[in-house]
Amino acid sequence: MSHNKPLILITNDDGLIAKGISELVKFVRPLGEIVVVAPDAPRSGSGCSLTVTQPVHFKMIRKDVGLTVYRCSGSPVDCVKLARHAILDRDPDLVLSGINHGDNSGVNVHYSGTMGAVIEACVNRIPAIGFSLCDHDQGADFEPMGKYVRELTKMVLLNGLPDYTCLNVNFPKVEEIKGLKVCQQARGSWSNEWEPCPRSFDENYYWMSGSFVPLKKGHEKSDNWALANGYGAITPTLVDMTDYKFAKELDSLVAGLLMEDEE
């Protein structure tokens, strides 16, 4: 592998044949040496899952100047781990994941295989960005977000990111994106998450469904608001999930519990 250009590792959770990952490669290919290690089939909703009950296999399927592509039998996190352990000759300068068919705003970040790969890179202090588009269609139009993907990638290659901080970047399904907004993760939860799809003689079959209900509607700093109003949403995301504010109060509460035991 060339050491003259930045090394960019690309993966996703929609699988190697998804249009989104091909578009991502197209958008950033001039910016470095690209190595793709992606699941051999869709792994949507896999979060930070690992494959621990069977071996994981990878195979090179394409090699061009500046671009090498592998398929992997594991999850997006497996792809990043295996790339670092068995494929690359050094850690990548940047990990990109996506472009996901469907957004990963709000609490979706906790379920997302796209962001699972990003978080795996972030844990290892490798700058990482997850890209998603609010369009589940297999033939989705990714072109409106192309210039933003390139510029954000260039920005992170040049400036890096703080340790244990990654970027969750979502784009609306629009013909023209109004611009970018740095956002907070929308707070809320999912409702009506299951839809019955009975089979013959058995009604206990369900499809995952549902809709996201924001805790605070119209919150202009949230990623959901930005997307609903035509903006790309950039949410800086921490791997460290410690609640430092509540930790001080909890420390006092725990100390009180111990004092009661002594009495």
Side-chain angles (χ1 to χ4, degrees), residues 122-187:
C122 193
V123 165
N124 291 282
R125 294 186 294 177
I126 300 169
I129 314 172
F131 292 109
S132 303
L133 174 66
C134 299
D135 191 346
H136 289 275
D137 192 274
Q138 292 183 358
D141 181 12
F142 295 90
E143 205 59 39
M145 61 187 289
K147 62 181 180 181
Y148 298 103
V149 170
R150 280 190 296 272
E151 291 307 309
L152 285 170
T153 300
K154 286 164 63 175
M155 179 192 78
V156 174
L157 283 172
L158 179 63
N159 299 291
L161 290 170
D163 284 349
Y164 307 114
T165 298
C166 53
L167 299 183
N168 180 19
V169 184
N170 292 273
F171 290 92
K173 180 185 176 182
V174 293
E175 292 183 2
E176 187 173 349
I177 297 165
K178 293 180 180 178
L180 298 175
K181 285 189 176 291
V182 177
C183 300
Q184 301 171 5
Q185 178 184 310
R187 295 186 176 184

Side-chain angles (χ1 to χ4, degrees), residues 176-251:
E176 187 173 349
I177 297 165
K178 293 180 180 178
L180 298 175
K181 285 189 176 291
V182 177
C183 300
Q184 301 171 5
Q185 178 184 310
R187 295 186 176 184
S189 59
W190 283 84
S191 66
N192 303 317
E193 294 186 77
W194 294 101
E195 183 176 318
C197 55
R199 303 292 191 265
S200 57
F201 309 112
D202 193 340
E203 296 183 353
N204 297 329
Y205 282 91
Y206 286 80
W207 275 114
M208 178 67 74
S209 180
S211 56
F212 180 73
V213 181
L215 188 64
K216 183 178 180 181
K217 294 183 179 179
H219 180 25
E220 294 189 9
K221 293 185 178 180
S222 76
D223 48 11
N224 277 9
W225 184 92
L227 294 170
N229 286 274
Y231 294 94
I234 309 173
T235 307
T237 303
L238 285 169
V239 169
D240 183 353
M241 298 172 69
T242 306
D243 187 336
Y244 290 99
K245 182 178 179 181
F246 179 60
K248 296 178 181 179
E249 179 183 345
L250 183 61
D251 190 42

Side-chain angles (χ1 to χ4, degrees), residues 1 9 45 48-49 59 73 77 124 153 186 199 208 229 244 254:
M1 296 177 184
L9 174 64
C48 293
S49 67
K59 182 179 180 180
S73 66
V77 171
N124 291 282
T153 300
R199 303 292 191 265
M208 178 67 74
N229 286 274
Y244 290 99
V254 171

Side-chain angles (χ1 to χ4, degrees), residues 6 12 45 60 67 88 97 118 132 164 191 196 206 216 232:
N12 74 346
M60 182 191 295
L67 173 64
L88 304 177
S97 187
V118 170
S132 303
Y164 307 114
S191 66
Y206 286 80
K216 183 178 180 181

Side-chain angles (χ1 to χ4, degrees), residues 8-28 34-39 44 76 80 95-102 104 112-118 128-133 142 145 149 167-171:
I8 302 174
L9 174 64
I10 293 180
T11 190
N12 74 346
D13 74 355
D14 288 319
L16 190 58
I17 65 171
K19 181 179 179 181
I21 196 168
S22 297
E23 293 293 284
L24 179 55
V25 170
K26 180 183 76 175
F27 294 150
V28 304
I34 310 298
V35 177
V36 176
V37 184
S44 294
V80 175
V95 171
L96 302 178
S97 187
I99 301 169
N100 192 63
H101 292 249
N104 282 309
S112 166
T114 301
M115 288 304 296
V118 170
I129 314 172
F131 292 109
S132 303
L133 174 66
F142 295 90
M145 61 187 289
V149 170
L167 299 183
N168 180 19
V169 184
N170 292 273
F171 290 92

